[in-house]
Amino acid sequence: MSSVIATTAIRGRFLDIQNTVAQAREIHDQVRYVEDGLLITQNGKISWFGEWEAGQQHIPENTQIEHYPEQLIVPGFIDTHIHFPQTEMVGAYGEQLLEWLNTYTFPTEIQFADKNYADQIAHFFVQELLKNGTTTALVFCTVHPQSVDALFEAAERHQMRLIAGKVMMDRHAPEALTDTVESAYSDSKALIKKWHGKGRNLYAITPRFAPTSTPEQLERAGQLKTEYPNVYVHTHLSENKNEIAWVKELFPEQKGYLDVYHHYGLTGERSVFAHCVHLEEHEWDCMHDTDSAIAFCPTSNLFLGSGLFPLKKAWEKQVKVGLGTDIGAGTSFCQLQTINEAYKVQQLQADKLSAMESLYHATLGGAKALHLDDKLGNFNIGKEADFVVLNLKATALQQLRQQRAKNIEDALFALFTMGDDRNIQATYIYGQKAYEQI
Ligand code: GUN
Ligand code: ZN
């Protein structure tokens, strides 16, 4: 990994959320909109941010200024749940979760035993993240340790902050995709030693979901978490009604689905559970009490017919929520599209998701869900300099609509409703331009 010594100075319109909040209604007070702003980065971190007028004197000599007068610059998007090996199978027809896994997902994931294949898809995947303004993601690999190597190697080329891990899965899957109690433990341990904290990489212990791990394997996963308390735990929870019934059959001694993970020591401030569409009251309490986080994946929940995530309930219960694309059950890499669908999921429950709340979930709230809000999520001085330059007028229809935008919130809402990768003009990682639309 090359070390970054460059200084970058960016002038333009900046929008971010200054502080994490306990309630959605508090977000408005934390919105920071600087119409003519300046952001200076040094060695990958933000060294100065504020009004252009006040900041010019802080620009080191011989620094070239990149000016984006028309665009909107926001913190990099954070995707709290995505599967890199499922990139090629987006849009697989007709099934709900359990049949979808057997019919499409497992055959696709078998290919990642081949490191060359994993390298190719990992490269494509990282490019696709950048193209969509996503600068950090929490990522499922496959059961194969080499799939984790492939992904971290691809991310390192851009100094991208990724969290990822090897799937642990020792039952209810094809033999070519299963590990064992022991190999899951020792392979995960070797990967933690190799990757966790190397550059910006972080490791996540990744049991696929309770049905594909034996109790013995979950116990070893919990042991790993005890040995390495600073690594993450990443899995699925309460996505689909048949899945929940199956977990209850497989683990009759536990009170519910989340209790399985909790019993094995897999809940906590660095634990992220994808979906949580059908949690019971005691499970909400456990999520809160253990400070565990949810990845809300609207395009996936709609595509697989899983259900409607109750975002309002998560605020009530004070449970951290980030947004996830959940590629390839999700249908877009783009957080703009994900927000568009999140809004509709809330509408179907008679709730309103404001543009600023969506921005929060996609940036600082996502960082908080990943326990990284001290490093990511806004333009505070000292944070890592990951940000996105958005073109609000990428199509004729967007141009027409944006000309009539009443204010910045209305402009942002229109972008979230209609936007996609055409709106991502540039993506900066650690102060460096890692992608630019041509
Ligand atoms: N539950 C277990 N595995 C998966 C997966 O790959 N995708 C989704 N959406 N849910 C899961
Ligand atoms: Zn998933």
Side-chain angles (χ1 to χ4, degrees):
M1 194 166 74
S2 62
S3 64
V4 175
I5 42 155
T7 298
T8 309
I10 311 281
R11 180 180 180 185
R13 274 204 296 165
F14 291 86
L15 178 69
D16 73 343
I17 311 289
Q18 291 191 74
N19 287 295
T20 56
V21 296
Q23 290 302 331
R25 62 176 174 276
E26 295 164 16
I27 291 170
H28 265 83
D29 294 339
Q30 297 301 332
V31 172
R32 174 166 52 184
Y33 178 48
V34 186
E35 266 201 297
D36 187 11
L38 171 68
L39 180 110
I40 305 173
T41 81
Q42 269 170 330
N43 300 325
K45 304 230 171 98
I46 297 170
S47 58
W48 200 89
F49 175 64
E51 298 282 347
W52 164 255
E53 280 301 330
Q56 286 173 69
Q57 50 172 314
H58 298 282
I59 304 173
E61 248 175 73
N62 303 321
T63 306
Q64 209 166 351
I65 298 158
E66 290 172 69
H67 192 189
Y68 295 102
E70 290 277 314
Q71 294 77 350
L72 182 68
I73 305 170
V74 299
F77 296 134
I78 295 179
D79 187 339
T80 58
H81 180 67
I82 185 165
H83 300 249
F84 105 78
Q86 295 176 17
T87 301
E88 66 197 72
M89 53 164 286
V90 174
Y93 173 76
E95 306 295 352
Q96 293 211 349
L97 177 64
L98 300 177
E99 297 74 25
W100 175 87
L101 282 172
N102 287 318
T103 312
Y104 300 113
T105 314
F106 293 154
T108 304
E109 293 194 2
I110 285 172
Q111 302 170 97
F112 289 73
D114 176 355
K115 174 71 168 30
N116 284 331
Y117 192 74
D119 283 337
Q120 276 175 44
I121 301 293
H123 174 75
F124 184 95
F125 174 84
V126 166
Q127 286 306 122
E128 202 63 22
L129 291 180
L130 294 173
K131 213 176 141 179
N132 283 284
T134 297
T135 51
T136 280
L138 173 58
V139 189
F140 258 69
C141 300
T142 63
V143 75
H144 316 97
Q146 58 271 37
S147 70
V148 180
D149 291 337
L151 182 64
F152 280 135
E153 284 161 14
E156 271 195 338
R157 280 178 218 126
H158 298 284
Q159 294 195 304
M160 194 174 196
R161 191 175 274 293
L162 277 198
I163 314 173
K166 179 203 111 67
V167 167
M168 303 171 84
M169 173 157 71
D170 66 344
R171 64 170 169 176
H172 299 137
E175 212 175 303
L177 268 191
T178 48
D179 51 15
T180 65
V181 173
E182 277 317 305
S183 72
Y185 172 82
S186 57
D187 286 348
S188 300
K189 188 168 184 151
L191 288 165
I192 290 170
K193 288 186 183 163
K194 184 169 180 183
W195 292 111
H196 185 70
K198 179 166 182 262
R200 296 182 82 198
N201 304 313
L202 295 166
Y203 194 82
I205 299 165
T206 309
R208 174 167 223 117
F209 65 157
T212 47
S213 285
T214 56
E216 294 73 25
Q217 185 171 68
L218 291 175
E219 194 171 327
R220 293 293 257 171
Q223 184 188 338
L224 265 181
K225 177 67 183 163
T226 308
E227 287 174 46
Y228 299 94
N230 290 332
V231 304
Y232 288 78
V233 173
H234 184 199
T235 189
H236 297 93
L237 172 64
S238 284
E239 176 177 4
N240 166 289
K241 296 231 167 115
N242 293 340
E243 169 209 21
I244 296 167
W246 194 22
V247 173
K248 288 188 174 169
E249 260 172 52
L250 291 169
F251 297 90
E253 65 286 4
Q254 304 300 339
K255 197 166 152 210
Y257 194 163
L258 179 56
D259 296 277
V260 176
Y261 298 132
H262 186 59
H263 175 78
Y264 292 106
L266 297 171
T267 48
E269 62 184 19
R270 286 187 178 83
S271 293
V272 181
F273 296 96
H275 307 302
C276 298
V277 173
H278 309 285
L279 290 186
E280 294 172 26
E281 197 66 22
H282 66 96
E283 295 178 305
W284 280 107
D285 291 335
C286 179
M287 290 294 292
H288 169 81
D289 295 345
T290 57
D291 200 22
S292 301
I294 296 172
F296 168 28
C297 307
T299 73
S300 166
N301 296 159
L302 295 172
F303 185 73
L304 291 184
S306 303
L308 304 175
F309 175 71
L311 183 58
K312 202 171 158 193
K313 180 87 178 176
W315 281 115
E316 273 167 33
K317 288 287 180 177
Q318 296 268 294
V319 176
K320 299 176 297 189
V321 175
L323 278 177
T325 58
D326 194 26
I327 290 292
T331 52
S332 170
F333 268 81
C334 191
Q335 289 293 20
L336 303 175
Q337 293 259 299
T338 306
I339 288 169
N340 180 24
E341 299 306 301
Y343 176 82
K344 296 171 192 169
V345 166
Q346 300 321 305
Q347 277 284 44
L348 284 165
Q349 299 172 90
D351 286 322
K352 286 183 195 168
L353 178 56
S354 74
M356 292 305 172
E357 182 180 342
S358 292
L359 178 68
Y360 178 77
H361 291 303
T363 58
L364 189 61
K368 187 176 177 189
L370 298 184
H371 206 66
L372 288 170
D373 47 308
D374 60 331
K375 295 186 174 62
L376 302 175
N378 61 20
F379 299 126
N380 288 355
I381 290 168
K383 290 229 177 162
E384 297 173 359
D386 295 344
F387 51 91
V388 196
V389 181
L390 298 166
N391 168 11
L392 271 52
K393 301 173 179 171
T395 68
L397 178 61
Q398 289 177 6
Q399 197 159 1
L400 183 75
R401 172 66 177 86
Q402 290 293 353
Q403 276 161 7
R404 285 152 180 77
K406 294 194 285 281
N407 50 39
I408 184 64
E409 175 141 29
D410 188 31
L412 193 66
F413 185 73
L415 171 76
F416 286 160
T417 307
M418 292 187 282
D420 57 33
D421 58 1
R422 290 171 295 184
N423 297 91
I424 310 299
Q425 178 145 343
T427 304
Y428 286 74
I429 302 273
Y430 221 44
Q432 304 289 299
K433 198 187 291 172
Y435 165 79
E436 184 164 33
Q437 194 182 142
I438 328 157

